[in-house]
Amino acid sequence: MQKKTILPFCLLLAGIPLYAAANQEPSIPTNGPNSHGHLTLFSYLSANNLAYSGANYRLPLPATDSDFYDHGRPDPAKFQLGKFLFFDKILSGNQNISCATCHHPLAATGDGLSLSVGEGGRGLGITRNTGFGNEAIYERVPRNAPPLFNVGAKRMTGMFHDGRVEVDSLAPSGFNTPAGDELPIGVLENVLAAQAMFPVTSNSEMAGQPGENPIADAAEAGNLAGPGGVWEQLANRLKANEEYAQLFNQAFALTPEQITYAHAANAIAAFEAAAWRADHSPFDRYLRGDKEAMSKESIQGMSLFYGKAGCSQCHSGVFQTDMQYHAIAMPQIGPGKGDGAEGHEDFGRERVTHDPADRYKFRTPRFEMWRLQAPGGMMAPTIPWKLWFAIT
């Protein structure tokens, strides 16, 4: 008898939207949902006379305020500073791109592209282009811009697709990052802030190309934390801006001379964590006891996801990720990261661990607003399926 293969079925559910983003300026949440106990699919089906074989599966606990940094309510002054920095091009070498360029609210905190068009591009979202002739950019960003929903959850202990920024209690700074021991010690508040230290150091993302500006030159030379390094130069820009000097004083009680780029990273992280918190989807409401939040088809999809289809083996928990790294034979999109015999491959997690067993592995992605994210070279494709659960 031929055995049935059910694991690939989980890839067919990759269009799950778990949060409806409002088209308005983000604000600090004033309160959060209350926690409720475990619910099982079986109890719901029984109550509604819905027969589904093998549906007694344990569902994750709903997210609560305590799952997020600052209980989901950061200091207002820090949030405001982070918002300005997130949307300001002052943090890029040529001052022509901001964090929001590739993580825009109108593009579900991404850019709608499989591979981002970073420094030097024109436009936003799917209309952003690489330029033409002498105005063309030097290179595209070799990976997809990850969404920012729920990056402020404490369970997100690793950042970037390959986890190259992650919590590490043995590191002097508390984090394992490409900067090694040069990362500031005792300043960065969490791993999300540590992550915000690095897009500005990438020539293709925000720094620009060597010869275009001093920040790009420092990035190319690998000078991040030294005298004249990327972070010092950016801090000097912020110190020289009277409005930002005042905002840093309000958020951190700093004089202009005390401002560092690590403080800017803390503010950006505070903004991202609160603005892009996403735990009010039908699925989240169902976990909190609202039995009318999801349709019958969504319930069926959920039963497959957490049961027979095996999707939750990797996409586990309330945020649908085990925060582990897997190779799923997904074809690479784009030119790679310089790996392999011809320099056109992306070895993924191996680039961090230097373990060949981690080759082509990438972190299990979360599913918030998945339908609106462009498929990338390390992510499952977006495929319509009638049994998506939590569809609004």
Side-chain angles (χ1 to χ4, degrees):
M1 180 181 296
Q2 189 176 23
K3 294 177 67 177
K4 294 183 179 179
T5 302
I6 60 174
L7 184 58
F9 179 80
C10 68
L11 298 181
L12 297 179
L13 301 178
I16 300 170
L18 296 181
Y19 181 71
N23 291 330
Q24 59 186 18
E25 181 178 282
S27 59
I28 302 175
T30 56
N31 51 54
N34 294 322
S35 174
H36 292 265
H38 272 298
L39 297 173
T40 63
L41 181 62
F42 180 79
S43 63
Y44 179 89
L45 295 175
S46 298
N48 291 273
N49 296 316
L50 296 174
Y52 195 83
S53 176
N56 189 14
Y57 302 115
R58 179 70 69 179
L59 296 178
L61 286 169
T64 66
D65 288 348
S66 62
D67 288 318
F68 297 88
Y69 299 129
D70 302 310
H71 289 269
R73 295 183 293 275
D75 177 76
K78 189 191 298 183
F79 178 94
Q80 187 77 350
L81 171 59
K83 181 176 69 173
F84 284 130
L85 292 170
F86 184 86
F87 287 96
D88 200 333
K89 298 177 182 180
I90 194 173
L91 298 183
S92 61
N94 292 319
Q95 302 193 61
N96 60 1
I97 188 172
S98 71
C99 305
T101 303
C102 295
H103 299 282
H104 203 279
L106 297 181
T109 71
D111 56 14
L113 302 172
S114 293
L115 297 177
S116 295
V117 179
E119 205 283 332
R122 298 289 187 274
L124 287 173
I126 60 174
T127 67
R128 189 165 175 80
N129 65 75
T130 59
F132 304 93
N134 294 332
E135 300 297 321
I137 64 173
Y138 180 76
E139 60 181 343
R140 294 184 75 138
V141 179
R143 290 180 182 167
N144 178 266
L148 301 182
F149 295 111
N150 288 331
V151 290
K154 297 175 184 177
R155 301 179 198 180
M156 307 306 163
T157 55
M159 297 289 158
F160 296 110
H161 292 298
D162 56 11
R164 63 185 179 274
V165 172
E166 58 190 345
V167 174
D168 183 354
S169 60
L170 299 179
S173 65
F175 309 102
N176 179 34
T177 77
D181 292 344
E182 291 188 343
L183 197 70
I185 298 175
V187 182
L188 295 168
E189 296 174 351
N190 50 58
V191 70
L192 182 56
Q195 181 277 334
M197 299 290 289
F198 290 94
V200 296
T201 71
S202 168
N203 293 106
S204 63
E205 294 182 47
M206 296 185 72
Q209 297 304 313
E212 293 179 345
N213 65 77
I215 291 176
D217 294 338
E220 178 68 13
N223 182 7
L224 307 185
V230 173
W231 296 329
E232 181 183 88
Q233 291 190 58
L234 289 174
N236 288 338
R237 277 189 187 175
L238 297 171
K239 294 175 183 179
N241 185 298
E242 292 184 5
E243 291 177 292
Y244 271 122
Q246 183 177 0
L247 290 170
F248 274 97
N249 178 263
Q250 294 170 356
F252 298 104
L254 299 172
T255 65
E257 294 74 22
Q258 294 173 314
I259 295 172
T260 70
Y261 184 71
H263 293 106
N266 284 335
I268 293 171
F271 167 72
E272 291 177 339
W276 314 130
R277 176 175 171 176
D279 62 334
H280 295 285
S281 71
F283 175 59
D284 293 300
R285 298 199 302 272
Y286 176 81
L287 291 181
R288 296 186 181 109
D290 181 359
K291 296 182 179 180
E292 304 299 322
M294 294 170 58
S295 68
K296 292 181 180 180
E297 280 195 335
S298 296
I299 295 293
Q300 290 176 324
M302 181 176 65
S303 70
L304 287 169
F305 187 93
Y306 283 99
K308 185 182 295 184
C311 306
S312 61
Q313 292 179 25
C314 297
H315 297 281
S316 58
V318 69
F319 300 118
Q320 287 81 44
T321 177
D322 57 5
M323 292 303 293
Q324 299 300 311
Y325 303 87
H326 306 279
I328 61 170
M330 176 70 184
Q332 177 179 303
I333 296 176
K337 297 274 284 186
D339 302 324
E342 298 181 0
H344 299 306
E345 296 184 64
D346 184 344
F347 283 173
R349 182 64 174 169
E350 183 188 355
R351 296 175 59 85
V352 179
T353 66
H354 307 293
D355 184 351
D358 288 332
R359 186 166 298 181
Y360 307 127
K361 289 184 178 181
F362 296 91
R363 192 188 65 242
T364 304
R366 305 181 309 279
F367 276 164
E368 305 94 341
M369 297 298 288
W370 187 258
R371 279 195 308 178
L372 303 183
Q373 294 293 321
M378 67 298 295
M379 308 169 98
T382 302
I383 302 176
W385 187 256
K386 69 176 182 179
L387 294 183
W388 286 338
F389 74 84
I391 292 179
T392 55

Coordinates of all heavy atoms in Angstrom, one line a residue, residues 94 96 117-123 128-140 209 212:
N94 N 23.4 57.8 2.2 CA 23.1 58.9 1.3 C 21.8 59.6 1.6 O 21.3 60.5 0.8 CB 23.0 58.3 -0.1 CG 24.3 57.8 -0.6 OD1 25.3 58.4 -0.5 ND2 24.3 56.6 -1.3
N96 N 18.7 58.7 1.6 CA 17.7 58.4 0.6 C 16.8 57.2 0.8 O 16.1 56.8 0.0 CB 18.4 58.3 -0.8 CG 19.3 57.1 -0.9 OD1 19.5 56.4 0.1 ND2 20.0 57.0 -2.0
V117 N 14.5 46.1 -3.0 CA 15.3 47.1 -3.7 C 15.7 48.1 -2.6 O 14.9 49.0 -2.2 CB 14.6 47.8 -4.9 CG1 15.5 48.8 -5.5 CG2 14.1 46.8 -5.9
G118 N 17.0 48.0 -2.2 CA 17.4 48.8 -1.1 C 17.9 50.2 -1.5 O 17.3 50.9 -2.2
E119 N 19.1 50.5 -1.0 CA 19.7 51.9 -1.2 C 19.8 52.2 -2.7 O 20.2 51.4 -3.5 CB 21.1 51.8 -0.6 CG 21.6 53.2 -0.2 CD 22.1 54.0 -1.4 OE1 22.5 53.4 -2.4 OE2 22.0 55.3 -1.3
G120 N 19.3 53.4 -3.0 CA 19.4 53.9 -4.4 C 18.2 53.6 -5.2 O 18.1 54.2 -6.4
G121 N 17.2 52.9 -4.8 CA 16.0 52.6 -5.5 C 15.1 53.8 -5.5 O 15.3 54.8 -4.8
R122 N 14.0 53.7 -6.3 CA 13.1 54.7 -6.4 C 11.7 54.1 -6.2 O 11.3 53.1 -6.7 CB 13.1 55.4 -7.8 CG 14.5 56.1 -8.1 CD 14.7 57.3 -7.3 NE 15.8 58.1 -7.7 CZ 17.1 57.8 -7.2 NH1 17.3 56.8 -6.3 NH2 18.1 58.5 -7.6
G123 N 10.8 54.9 -5.4 CA 9.5 54.4 -5.2 C 9.3 53.6 -4.0 O 10.3 53.3 -3.2
R128 N 8.6 50.1 -6.5 CA 10.0 50.5 -6.3 C 10.9 49.8 -7.4 O 10.8 48.6 -7.6 CB 10.5 50.1 -4.9 CG 11.9 50.6 -4.6 CD 12.1 50.5 -3.1 NE 13.5 51.0 -2.7 CZ 13.8 52.2 -2.5 NH1 13.0 53.2 -2.7 NH2 15.1 52.5 -2.2
N129 N 11.7 50.6 -8.1 CA 12.5 50.0 -9.2 C 14.0 50.2 -8.9 O 14.4 51.0 -8.1 CB 12.1 50.7 -10.5 CG 12.4 52.2 -10.5 OD1 13.5 52.6 -10.7 ND2 11.3 53.0 -10.4
T130 N 14.7 49.5 -9.7 CA 16.2 49.5 -9.6 C 16.9 50.6 -10.3 O 18.1 50.7 -10.3 CB 16.7 48.1 -10.0 OG1 16.4 47.9 -11.4 CG2 16.1 47.0 -9.2
G131 N 16.2 51.4 -11.1 CA 16.8 52.4 -11.9 C 17.3 51.9 -13.2 O 17.3 50.7 -13.5
F132 N 17.8 52.8 -14.1 CA 18.2 52.4 -15.4 C 19.6 53.1 -15.7 O 19.9 54.2 -15.3 CB 17.2 52.8 -16.5 CG 15.8 52.3 -16.2 CD1 14.9 53.0 -15.5 CD2 15.5 51.0 -16.6 CE1 13.6 52.5 -15.2 CE2 14.2 50.5 -16.4 CZ 13.3 51.3 -15.7
G133 N 20.4 52.4 -16.6 CA 21.6 52.9 -17.0 C 22.6 53.3 -15.9 O 22.8 52.5 -15.0
N134 N 23.1 54.5 -16.0 CA 24.0 55.0 -14.9 C 23.3 55.2 -13.6 O 24.0 55.3 -12.6 CB 24.7 56.3 -15.4 CG 25.6 56.1 -16.6 OD1 26.1 55.0 -16.8 ND2 25.8 57.1 -17.4
E135 N 22.0 55.3 -13.6 CA 21.2 55.5 -12.4 C 20.8 54.2 -11.7 O 20.1 54.2 -10.7 CB 20.0 56.3 -12.7 CG 20.3 57.7 -13.3 CD 21.1 58.6 -12.3 OE1 20.8 58.5 -11.1 OE2 22.0 59.3 -12.7
A136 N 21.2 53.0 -12.3 CA 20.7 51.8 -11.7 C 21.5 51.5 -10.4 O 22.7 51.9 -10.3 CB 21.0 50.6 -12.7
I137 N 20.9 50.8 -9.5 CA 21.5 50.4 -8.3 C 22.6 49.4 -8.5 O 22.6 48.7 -9.5 CB 20.5 49.9 -7.2 CG1 19.8 48.6 -7.7 CG2 19.4 50.9 -7.0 CD1 19.0 47.9 -6.7
Y138 N 23.5 49.3 -7.6 CA 24.6 48.4 -7.7 C 24.2 46.9 -7.5 O 24.6 46.0 -8.2 CB 25.7 48.7 -6.7 CG 26.9 47.8 -6.7 CD1 27.9 47.9 -7.7 CD2 27.0 46.8 -5.7 CE1 29.0 47.1 -7.7 CE2 28.2 46.0 -5.7 CZ 29.1 46.1 -6.8 OH 30.2 45.3 -6.8
E139 N 23.2 46.7 -6.6 CA 22.8 45.3 -6.3 C 21.4 45.4 -5.5 O 21.2 46.4 -4.9 CB 23.8 44.5 -5.5 CG 24.1 45.2 -4.1 CD 25.1 44.4 -3.3 OE1 25.3 43.2 -3.7 OE2 25.6 45.0 -2.4
R140 N 20.7 44.3 -5.7 CA 19.5 44.2 -4.9 C 19.8 43.5 -3.5 O 20.9 42.9 -3.4 CB 18.4 43.3 -5.6 CG 17.9 44.0 -6.8 CD 16.8 43.1 -7.4 NE 15.5 43.2 -6.7 CZ 14.3 43.3 -7.3 NH1 14.2 43.3 -8.6 NH2 13.2 43.4 -6.6
Q209 N 27.0 52.7 -1.4 CA 28.2 52.0 -2.0 C 29.5 52.8 -1.6 O 29.5 54.1 -1.4 CB 28.1 51.9 -3.5 CG 27.0 51.0 -3.9 CD 27.0 49.6 -3.3 OE1 28.1 49.0 -3.3 NE2 25.9 49.1 -2.7
E212 N 30.6 56.8 -2.1 CA 29.4 57.6 -2.2 C 29.3 58.5 -0.9 O 28.8 59.6 -1.0 CB 28.1 56.8 -2.3 CG 28.0 56.1 -3.7 CD 26.8 55.3 -3.8 OE1 26.1 55.0 -2.8 OE2 26.4 54.9 -5.0

